[in-house]
Amino acid sequence: MYHPTVARLTYRGLLGRRRAAILFILPGLLITISAAVRLFQGADDQVAADLLAGFGLATMVPLIGVIAGTGAIGPEIDDGSIVYLLAKPVKRSTIIFTKLIVAIAVTMVFSAVPMLIAGLILNGNGQQVAIAYTVAALVASIAYSALFLLLGTVSRHAVVFGLVYALVWESLFGSVMSGARTLSVQQWALAVAEKVTRGEGLISSEVSLPVAAVLLAVVTAAATWFAGWKLRTLTLAGEE
């Protein structure tokens, strides 16, 4: 299911000079803001939780997911180079699974690692806030990568749709509509973080942990399967 050559090509595309620069901006900004907050305000568990939730989990993680998920396959479809890959004797499901693994790995490295560093800077992992949000970032990275890889497979405007979901649906509608909060990867990840943290009331989610776990698994599996199905359809259309 994992193809090293496909993975190498995908890593090369994602970590090219231009995309790598974009991937470093948000983590660098989070760490810089965290250092400034700690310098001027000192260690505060609630401030740390609020910053990691508001900027880290709500903004940085989904945006990095958009870049990694859509970038894993979208550019190849747009410029037509996917045809050369599809011509190789590699199963379409293997291509999708390999690209998903790469997207997840990139999203995790550029979101979970800086989340941990920022949390340690903010309050030294008091009440396990840093660990809680690191775990949340890891969990969210999987679902975001699958969703945005699917978008990259089905649409030439995947980045736009990904940004709409991340910034409008989760951040805007999610703050005012309970239904939107329930159907939110961010809230599912917060449910995991709420379980990990030791501080009462520091982290809260609109979704219970069992429901969040089921939704994360179902959405990830469904998005991956549909992306594979769409790629097989694309192959048939090209052959015809």
Side-chain angles (χ1 to χ4, degrees), residues 139 143 182 184-192 205-219:
V139 169
T182 302
S184 165
V185 174
Q186 178 189 340
Q187 291 296 323
W188 305 341
L190 280 173
V192 178
S205 172
E206 297 289 329
V207 184
S208 66
L209 182 59
V211 172
V214 170
L215 289 173
L216 283 165
V218 169
V219 166

PDB file of all heavy atoms in Angstrom, residues 139 143 182 184-192 205-219:
ATOM      1  N   VAL A 139      -3.840  14.324  15.891  1.00  0.00           N
ATOM      2  CA  VAL A 139      -5.115  13.726  15.488  1.00  0.00           C
ATOM      3  C   VAL A 139      -5.751  14.523  14.350  1.00  0.00           C
ATOM      4  O   VAL A 139      -6.228  13.948  13.356  1.00  0.00           O
ATOM      5  CB  VAL A 139      -6.073  13.673  16.700  1.00  0.00           C
ATOM      6  CG1 VAL A 139      -7.488  13.307  16.260  1.00  0.00           C
ATOM      7  CG2 VAL A 139      -5.563  12.667  17.731  1.00  0.00           C
ATOM      8  N   ALA A 143      -7.084  13.734   9.917  1.00  0.00           N
ATOM      9  CA  ALA A 143      -8.375  14.030   9.289  1.00  0.00           C
ATOM     10  C   ALA A 143      -8.251  15.139   8.247  1.00  0.00           C
ATOM     11  O   ALA A 143      -8.812  15.038   7.144  1.00  0.00           O
ATOM     12  CB  ALA A 143      -9.396  14.419  10.357  1.00  0.00           C
ATOM     13  N   THR A 182     -20.242  20.799  15.824  1.00  0.00           N
ATOM     14  CA  THR A 182     -20.286  19.340  15.892  1.00  0.00           C
ATOM     15  C   THR A 182     -19.608  18.712  14.687  1.00  0.00           C
ATOM     16  O   THR A 182     -18.917  17.702  14.809  1.00  0.00           O
ATOM     17  CB  THR A 182     -21.746  18.854  15.965  1.00  0.00           C
ATOM     18  OG1 THR A 182     -22.381  19.440  17.113  1.00  0.00           O
ATOM     19  CG2 THR A 182     -21.806  17.340  16.103  1.00  0.00           C
ATOM     20  N   SER A 184     -16.989  19.526  12.992  1.00  0.00           N
ATOM     21  CA  SER A 184     -15.740  20.271  12.910  1.00  0.00           C
ATOM     22  C   SER A 184     -14.573  19.411  13.370  1.00  0.00           C
ATOM     23  O   SER A 184     -14.591  18.876  14.489  1.00  0.00           O
ATOM     24  CB  SER A 184     -15.836  21.539  13.771  1.00  0.00           C
ATOM     25  OG  SER A 184     -14.573  22.098  13.994  1.00  0.00           O
ATOM     26  N   VAL A 185     -13.568  19.266  12.526  1.00  0.00           N
ATOM     27  CA  VAL A 185     -12.364  18.517  12.906  1.00  0.00           C
ATOM     28  C   VAL A 185     -11.719  19.157  14.123  1.00  0.00           C
ATOM     29  O   VAL A 185     -11.196  18.472  15.007  1.00  0.00           O
ATOM     30  CB  VAL A 185     -11.375  18.479  11.721  1.00  0.00           C
ATOM     31  CG1 VAL A 185     -10.060  17.822  12.147  1.00  0.00           C
ATOM     32  CG2 VAL A 185     -11.976  17.736  10.536  1.00  0.00           C
ATOM     33  N   GLN A 186     -11.768  20.467  14.187  1.00  0.00           N
ATOM     34  CA  GLN A 186     -11.193  21.188  15.329  1.00  0.00           C
ATOM     35  C   GLN A 186     -11.829  20.734  16.640  1.00  0.00           C
ATOM     36  O   GLN A 186     -11.135  20.474  17.626  1.00  0.00           O
ATOM     37  CB  GLN A 186     -11.392  22.689  15.153  1.00  0.00           C
ATOM     38  CG  GLN A 186     -10.876  23.522  16.306  1.00  0.00           C
ATOM     39  CD  GLN A 186     -11.286  24.980  16.185  1.00  0.00           C
ATOM     40  OE1 GLN A 186     -11.631  25.454  15.103  1.00  0.00           O
ATOM     41  NE2 GLN A 186     -11.253  25.693  17.279  1.00  0.00           N
ATOM     42  N   GLN A 187     -13.163  20.628  16.663  1.00  0.00           N
ATOM     43  CA  GLN A 187     -13.854  20.210  17.873  1.00  0.00           C
ATOM     44  C   GLN A 187     -13.557  18.751  18.212  1.00  0.00           C
ATOM     45  O   GLN A 187     -13.444  18.392  19.386  1.00  0.00           O
ATOM     46  CB  GLN A 187     -15.356  20.414  17.717  1.00  0.00           C
ATOM     47  CG  GLN A 187     -15.785  21.875  17.681  1.00  0.00           C
ATOM     48  CD  GLN A 187     -15.491  22.592  18.990  1.00  0.00           C
ATOM     49  OE1 GLN A 187     -15.620  22.030  20.070  1.00  0.00           O
ATOM     50  NE2 GLN A 187     -15.087  23.852  18.884  1.00  0.00           N
ATOM     51  N   TRP A 188     -13.426  17.917  17.204  1.00  0.00           N
ATOM     52  CA  TRP A 188     -13.083  16.519  17.469  1.00  0.00           C
ATOM     53  C   TRP A 188     -11.699  16.424  18.096  1.00  0.00           C
ATOM     54  O   TRP A 188     -11.483  15.643  19.027  1.00  0.00           O
ATOM     55  CB  TRP A 188     -13.121  15.714  16.173  1.00  0.00           C
ATOM     56  CG  TRP A 188     -14.423  15.805  15.426  1.00  0.00           C
ATOM     57  CD1 TRP A 188     -15.634  16.197  15.939  1.00  0.00           C
ATOM     58  CD2 TRP A 188     -14.652  15.543  14.044  1.00  0.00           C
ATOM     59  NE1 TRP A 188     -16.595  16.188  14.962  1.00  0.00           N
ATOM     60  CE2 TRP A 188     -16.031  15.788  13.779  1.00  0.00           C
ATOM     61  CE3 TRP A 188     -13.841  15.125  12.995  1.00  0.00           C
ATOM     62  CZ2 TRP A 188     -16.587  15.615  12.519  1.00  0.00           C
ATOM     63  CZ3 TRP A 188     -14.393  14.952  11.731  1.00  0.00           C
ATOM     64  CH2 TRP A 188     -15.747  15.186  11.501  1.00  0.00           C
ATOM     65  N   ALA A 189     -10.762  17.231  17.592  1.00  0.00           N
ATOM     66  CA  ALA A 189      -9.412  17.230  18.160  1.00  0.00           C
ATOM     67  C   ALA A 189      -9.407  17.804  19.572  1.00  0.00           C
ATOM     68  O   ALA A 189      -8.671  17.335  20.448  1.00  0.00           O
ATOM     69  CB  ALA A 189      -8.470  18.030  17.257  1.00  0.00           C
ATOM     70  N   LEU A 190     -10.258  18.817  19.807  1.00  0.00           N
ATOM     71  CA  LEU A 190     -10.358  19.396  21.157  1.00  0.00           C
ATOM     72  C   LEU A 190     -10.880  18.380  22.157  1.00  0.00           C
ATOM     73  O   LEU A 190     -10.518  18.414  23.337  1.00  0.00           O
ATOM     74  CB  LEU A 190     -11.274  20.625  21.130  1.00  0.00           C
ATOM     75  CG  LEU A 190     -10.653  21.926  20.633  1.00  0.00           C
ATOM     76  CD1 LEU A 190     -11.723  23.010  20.499  1.00  0.00           C
ATOM     77  CD2 LEU A 190      -9.538  22.394  21.563  1.00  0.00           C
ATOM     78  N   ALA A 191     -11.763  17.484  21.709  1.00  0.00           N
ATOM     79  CA  ALA A 191     -12.274  16.439  22.599  1.00  0.00           C
ATOM     80  C   ALA A 191     -11.141  15.550  23.092  1.00  0.00           C
ATOM     81  O   ALA A 191     -11.123  15.119  24.249  1.00  0.00           O
ATOM     82  CB  ALA A 191     -13.335  15.607  21.875  1.00  0.00           C
ATOM     83  N   VAL A 192     -10.184  15.278  22.208  1.00  0.00           N
ATOM     84  CA  VAL A 192      -9.015  14.485  22.590  1.00  0.00           C
ATOM     85  C   VAL A 192      -8.137  15.286  23.548  1.00  0.00           C
ATOM     86  O   VAL A 192      -7.670  14.770  24.573  1.00  0.00           O
ATOM     87  CB  VAL A 192      -8.217  14.073  21.343  1.00  0.00           C
ATOM     88  CG1 VAL A 192      -6.971  13.284  21.745  1.00  0.00           C
ATOM     89  CG2 VAL A 192      -9.087  13.255  20.393  1.00  0.00           C
ATOM     90  N   SER A 205     -14.763  20.932  24.606  1.00  0.00           N
ATOM     91  CA  SER A 205     -15.205  20.620  23.255  1.00  0.00           C
ATOM     92  C   SER A 205     -16.710  20.429  23.246  1.00  0.00           C
ATOM     93  O   SER A 205     -17.310  20.031  24.253  1.00  0.00           O
ATOM     94  CB  SER A 205     -14.517  19.345  22.751  1.00  0.00           C
ATOM     95  OG  SER A 205     -15.070  18.923  21.523  1.00  0.00           O
ATOM     96  N   GLU A 206     -17.311  20.724  22.093  1.00  0.00           N
ATOM     97  CA  GLU A 206     -18.748  20.544  21.918  1.00  0.00           C
ATOM     98  C   GLU A 206     -19.101  19.084  21.651  1.00  0.00           C
ATOM     99  O   GLU A 206     -20.273  18.723  21.618  1.00  0.00           O
ATOM    100  CB  GLU A 206     -19.251  21.398  20.750  1.00  0.00           C
ATOM    101  CG  GLU A 206     -19.085  22.889  20.941  1.00  0.00           C
ATOM    102  CD  GLU A 206     -20.023  23.445  21.982  1.00  0.00           C
ATOM    103  OE1 GLU A 206     -21.130  22.906  22.128  1.00  0.00           O
ATOM    104  OE2 GLU A 206     -19.638  24.410  22.670  1.00  0.00           O
ATOM    105  N   VAL A 207     -18.091  18.249  21.454  1.00  0.00           N
ATOM    106  CA  VAL A 207     -18.310  16.853  21.076  1.00  0.00           C
ATOM    107  C   VAL A 207     -17.681  15.950  22.120  1.00  0.00           C
ATOM    108  O   VAL A 207     -16.573  16.209  22.596  1.00  0.00           O
ATOM    109  CB  VAL A 207     -17.681  16.560  19.693  1.00  0.00           C
ATOM    110  CG1 VAL A 207     -17.995  15.139  19.238  1.00  0.00           C
ATOM    111  CG2 VAL A 207     -18.172  17.568  18.652  1.00  0.00           C
ATOM    112  N   SER A 208     -18.373  14.888  22.486  1.00  0.00           N
ATOM    113  CA  SER A 208     -17.821  13.932  23.441  1.00  0.00           C
ATOM    114  C   SER A 208     -16.708  13.134  22.784  1.00  0.00           C
ATOM    115  O   SER A 208     -16.656  12.997  21.555  1.00  0.00           O
ATOM    116  CB  SER A 208     -18.910  12.985  23.942  1.00  0.00           C
ATOM    117  OG  SER A 208     -19.385  12.163  22.891  1.00  0.00           O
ATOM    118  N   LEU A 209     -15.823  12.574  23.599  1.00  0.00           N
ATOM    119  CA  LEU A 209     -14.671  11.855  23.067  1.00  0.00           C
ATOM    120  C   LEU A 209     -15.064  10.639  22.218  1.00  0.00           C
ATOM    121  O   LEU A 209     -14.505  10.456  21.131  1.00  0.00           O
ATOM    122  CB  LEU A 209     -13.734  11.441  24.209  1.00  0.00           C
ATOM    123  CG  LEU A 209     -12.458  10.716  23.768  1.00  0.00           C
ATOM    124  CD1 LEU A 209     -11.635  11.588  22.827  1.00  0.00           C
ATOM    125  CD2 LEU A 209     -11.621  10.320  24.991  1.00  0.00           C
ATOM    126  N   PRO A 210     -16.007   9.797  22.666  1.00  0.00           N
ATOM    127  CA  PRO A 210     -16.375   8.644  21.822  1.00  0.00           C
ATOM    128  C   PRO A 210     -16.923   9.058  20.458  1.00  0.00           C
ATOM    129  O   PRO A 210     -16.561   8.467  19.433  1.00  0.00           O
ATOM    130  CB  PRO A 210     -17.455   7.933  22.654  1.00  0.00           C
ATOM    131  CG  PRO A 210     -17.184   8.334  24.060  1.00  0.00           C
ATOM    132  CD  PRO A 210     -16.701   9.748  23.979  1.00  0.00           C
ATOM    133  N   VAL A 211     -17.770  10.093  20.439  1.00  0.00           N
ATOM    134  CA  VAL A 211     -18.325  10.572  19.168  1.00  0.00           C
ATOM    135  C   VAL A 211     -17.206  11.146  18.305  1.00  0.00           C
ATOM    136  O   VAL A 211     -17.150  10.899  17.088  1.00  0.00           O
ATOM    137  CB  VAL A 211     -19.411  11.637  19.415  1.00  0.00           C
ATOM    138  CG1 VAL A 211     -19.857  12.274  18.099  1.00  0.00           C
ATOM    139  CG2 VAL A 211     -20.609  11.014  20.116  1.00  0.00           C
ATOM    140  N   ALA A 212     -16.297  11.905  18.912  1.00  0.00           N
ATOM    141  CA  ALA A 212     -15.184  12.499  18.166  1.00  0.00           C
ATOM    142  C   ALA A 212     -14.306  11.420  17.548  1.00  0.00           C
ATOM    143  O   ALA A 212     -13.890  11.530  16.387  1.00  0.00           O
ATOM    144  CB  ALA A 212     -14.356  13.384  19.090  1.00  0.00           C
ATOM    145  N   ALA A 213     -14.020  10.363  18.308  1.00  0.00           N
ATOM    146  CA  ALA A 213     -13.170   9.275  17.801  1.00  0.00           C
ATOM    147  C   ALA A 213     -13.818   8.581  16.603  1.00  0.00           C
ATOM    148  O   ALA A 213     -13.156   8.295  15.599  1.00  0.00           O
ATOM    149  CB  ALA A 213     -12.893   8.269  18.916  1.00  0.00           C
ATOM    150  N   VAL A 214     -15.116   8.336  16.711  1.00  0.00           N
ATOM    151  CA  VAL A 214     -15.837   7.676  15.613  1.00  0.00           C
ATOM    152  C   VAL A 214     -15.857   8.572  14.373  1.00  0.00           C
ATOM    153  O   VAL A 214     -15.585   8.121  13.256  1.00  0.00           O
ATOM    154  CB  VAL A 214     -17.276   7.319  16.038  1.00  0.00           C
ATOM    155  CG1 VAL A 214     -18.090   6.855  14.841  1.00  0.00           C
ATOM    156  CG2 VAL A 214     -17.259   6.239  17.109  1.00  0.00           C
ATOM    157  N   LEU A 215     -16.158   9.856  14.566  1.00  0.00           N
ATOM    158  CA  LEU A 215     -16.226  10.777  13.436  1.00  0.00           C
ATOM    159  C   LEU A 215     -14.862  10.956  12.767  1.00  0.00           C
ATOM    160  O   LEU A 215     -14.762  11.014  11.531  1.00  0.00           O
ATOM    161  CB  LEU A 215     -16.769  12.135  13.896  1.00  0.00           C
ATOM    162  CG  LEU A 215     -18.253  12.165  14.257  1.00  0.00           C
ATOM    163  CD1 LEU A 215     -18.633  13.509  14.864  1.00  0.00           C
ATOM    164  CD2 LEU A 215     -19.117  11.874  13.030  1.00  0.00           C
ATOM    165  N   LEU A 216     -13.808  11.035  13.557  1.00  0.00           N
ATOM    166  CA  LEU A 216     -12.467  11.156  12.987  1.00  0.00           C
ATOM    167  C   LEU A 216     -12.125   9.942  12.129  1.00  0.00           C
ATOM    168  O   LEU A 216     -11.604  10.080  11.018  1.00  0.00           O
ATOM    169  CB  LEU A 216     -11.430  11.304  14.108  1.00  0.00           C
ATOM    170  CG  LEU A 216     -11.325  12.674  14.767  1.00  0.00           C
ATOM    171  CD1 LEU A 216     -10.543  12.588  16.080  1.00  0.00           C
ATOM    172  CD2 LEU A 216     -10.644  13.668  13.822  1.00  0.00           C
ATOM    173  N   ALA A 217     -12.445   8.754  12.639  1.00  0.00           N
ATOM    174  CA  ALA A 217     -12.144   7.525  11.897  1.00  0.00           C
ATOM    175  C   ALA A 217     -12.982   7.428  10.628  1.00  0.00           C
ATOM    176  O   ALA A 217     -12.469   7.094   9.551  1.00  0.00           O
ATOM    177  CB  ALA A 217     -12.381   6.309  12.789  1.00  0.00           C
ATOM    178  N   VAL A 218     -14.279   7.727  10.754  1.00  0.00           N
ATOM    179  CA  VAL A 218     -15.178   7.599   9.602  1.00  0.00           C
ATOM    180  C   VAL A 218     -14.817   8.603   8.507  1.00  0.00           C
ATOM    181  O   VAL A 218     -14.746   8.252   7.316  1.00  0.00           O
ATOM    182  CB  VAL A 218     -16.646   7.791  10.046  1.00  0.00           C
ATOM    183  CG1 VAL A 218     -17.559   7.939   8.831  1.00  0.00           C
ATOM    184  CG2 VAL A 218     -17.099   6.620  10.899  1.00  0.00           C
ATOM    185  N   VAL A 219     -14.598   9.854   8.883  1.00  0.00           N
ATOM    186  CA  VAL A 219     -14.278  10.888   7.901  1.00  0.00           C
ATOM    187  C   VAL A 219     -12.949  10.585   7.209  1.00  0.00           C
ATOM    188  O   VAL A 219     -12.828  10.716   5.982  1.00  0.00           O
ATOM    189  CB  VAL A 219     -14.230  12.276   8.576  1.00  0.00           C
ATOM    190  CG1 VAL A 219     -13.576  13.301   7.664  1.00  0.00           C
ATOM    191  CG2 VAL A 219     -15.636  12.726   8.937  1.00  0.00           C
TER     192      VAL A 219
END
